Amino acid sequence: MKRLLFVPLLVLFMTGCKQVASEKTFTFEGNPLVRDCYTADPAPMVSSDGRLYVYCGHDECFEDKPGYEGKYGFNITEWLCYSTEDMKTWTDHGVIMKPTDFSWSIGEAWASQVMEYEGKYYFFVSTQCGDPNCKAVGVAVSDTPTGPFEDAIGCPLITDDMTDNGLRGWWNDFDPTIMVDDDGTPWLCWGNGTCFLAPLKHNLIELAGPITTLPMENYVEGPWLYKRGEHYYNVYASMGDHLETISYAMAPSIEGPWTFVGELLGEQKDSFTTHPGVIDYKGKSYLFYHGTSLSLDGYGPATGRRSICFTEIYYGQDGKIHLK
């Protein structure tokens, strides 16, 4: 009788990033942060375990000409996670979730954000639901910052039929950002073309009030909502001369009035999009974003071959943000 031997498997994904049986570490060598695959839409989070985690989408790399949409443009099939304790040595946690892990989703691992809340980690994602033209915001939950994450609701939290899509049509409902105000109210903000805002119940999986809009000057998409000191901030993707830039607005309360401050970061060469994520960590402040400064396997940067970066920032006495 033959004895069957079972050995660990190293699972290789299509192209670019690889998920292996054990996590790997690497040293930050300057931007871009990740250099073995294309990454986009960085979302930093400081966990109670003392580590800084950055969640992002995996831009797939195809042996074809770059495009602005479809197969060779934005083909983002899974979410990745990286973490650090010193901004120098990083751990690659591999793939933590795919859009198809949601039973109602058919694909697209667009911008996301993770929040640690009451002992659990809530993963707010933007993806595509059943209708080919339907964008949606979903929520997954885990006991650890690196998963496994599971669908917290069994259906989308936000779908296109819940908002007035206006001129943007079905492109409105994605790019979620989440924060908890000083009074304990969780707020969800999202949207392309229109910046939507809604309070959540304390379980983080149900709306607690009506959906409203935040008037943001030169707003395109990718909001990042947070409070620091006495000021509320919304840092978001805005429109430059030809490509997206990063701008921000400030307010004395979540509901405004919001004052446009200006552009924080300019256009990223070869990438139509960029996406902000702002975080304080160990006495310093950082702006994460994506650009196109990476070439792999002989294929150069393109709007669907993005790479996440970060830069240090600081705040003036008036609360305004400055690049360091």
Side-chain angles (χ1 to χ4, degrees):
M1 179 177 176
K2 294 182 179 180
R3 179 175 297 175
L4 298 178
L5 299 179
F6 294 90
V7 297
L9 296 178
L10 297 181
V11 181
L12 301 182
F13 284 83
M14 294 174 59
T15 55
C17 292
K18 301 177 179 65
Q19 185 182 33
V20 298
S22 60
E23 297 171 336
K24 61 181 179 181
T25 61
F26 62 94
T27 301
F28 175 62
E29 299 177 354
N31 287 322
L33 171 61
V34 179
R35 300 191 174 198
D36 64 347
C37 68
Y38 294 112
T39 52
D41 302 324
M45 186 273 298
V46 177
S47 172
S48 57
D49 66 9
R51 297 184 68 85
L52 169 66
Y53 292 83
V54 178
Y55 303 85
C56 61
H58 176 197
D59 265 353
E60 295 286 2
C61 175
F62 289 94
E63 296 183 3
D64 206 295
K65 63 182 180 181
Y68 284 93
E69 58 185 12
K71 184 176 181 181
Y72 302 110
F74 302 115
N75 191 77
I76 317 170
T77 60
E78 54 201 10
W79 289 284
L80 310 176
C81 179
Y82 303 87
S83 72
T84 184
E85 288 184 330
D86 58 9
M87 304 301 290
K88 295 178 182 178
T89 301
W90 290 77
T91 298
D92 178 354
H93 299 281
V95 180
I96 59 166
M97 197 173 190
K98 297 184 177 184
T100 48
D101 291 336
F102 295 95
S103 61
W104 46 266
S105 172
I106 62 174
E108 297 186 355
W110 289 23
S112 65
Q113 186 175 349
V114 174
M115 168 175 282
E116 183 178 5
Y117 184 76
E118 295 184 351
K120 292 186 179 294
Y121 295 85
Y122 290 83
F123 192 20
F124 289 81
V125 305
S126 44
T127 183
Q128 187 166 302
C129 53
D131 188 313
N133 290 338
C134 180
K135 306 300 179 187
V137 174
V139 189
V141 65
S142 174
D143 292 327
T144 73
T146 56
F149 285 91
E150 296 182 354
D151 188 353
I153 310 175
C155 62
L157 176 63
I158 301 292
T159 53
D160 285 332
D161 58 356
M162 299 170 64
T163 59
D164 178 6
N165 288 320
L167 296 177
R168 291 281 178 170
W170 51 273
W171 278 93
N172 244 5
D173 293 287
F174 55 82
D175 289 359
T177 180
I178 178 81
M179 67 160 286
V180 176
D181 210 345
D182 292 342
D183 64 359
T185 302
W187 290 95
L188 181 70
C189 182
W190 73 96
N192 175 279
T194 302
C195 189
F196 296 108
L197 179 72
L200 297 180
K201 294 183 180 180
H202 292 286
N203 59 16
L204 297 192
I205 60 173
E206 296 177 89
L207 297 184
I211 296 172
T212 59
T213 60
L214 294 180
M216 293 288 144
E217 184 175 332
N218 195 22
Y219 175 87
V220 179
E221 59 186 347
W224 188 268
L225 189 68
Y226 67 101
K227 186 187 181 195
R228 188 179 191 276
E230 299 300 316
H231 303 287
Y232 291 79
Y233 296 85
N234 191 12
V235 185
Y236 53 87
S238 50
M239 184 53 64
D241 292 334
H242 304 286
L243 308 173
E244 286 185 357
T245 58
I246 292 177
S247 296
Y248 74 104
M250 297 171 60
S253 74
I254 190 74
E255 296 169 302
W258 287 90
T259 300
F260 179 74
V261 180
E263 185 178 285
L264 182 59
L265 197 65
E267 295 179 347
Q268 301 300 303
K269 183 181 178 182
D270 298 319
S271 177
F272 178 75
T273 70
T274 190
H275 187 97
V278 181
I279 202 76
D280 290 343
Y281 186 58
K282 294 190 174 180
K284 295 183 177 180
S285 301
Y286 299 94
L287 167 67
F288 284 81
Y289 61 97
H290 68 239
T292 52
S293 55
L294 181 68
S295 294
L296 290 173
D297 302 322
Y299 296 92
T303 196
R305 297 182 175 96
R306 298 163 293 181
S307 48
I308 62 174
C309 305
F310 68 87
T311 187
E312 193 173 342
I313 59 175
Y314 69 95
Y315 295 84
Q317 290 186 348
D318 57 1
K320 291 182 180 180
I321 306 173
H322 303 271
L323 298 179
K324 196 158 185 178

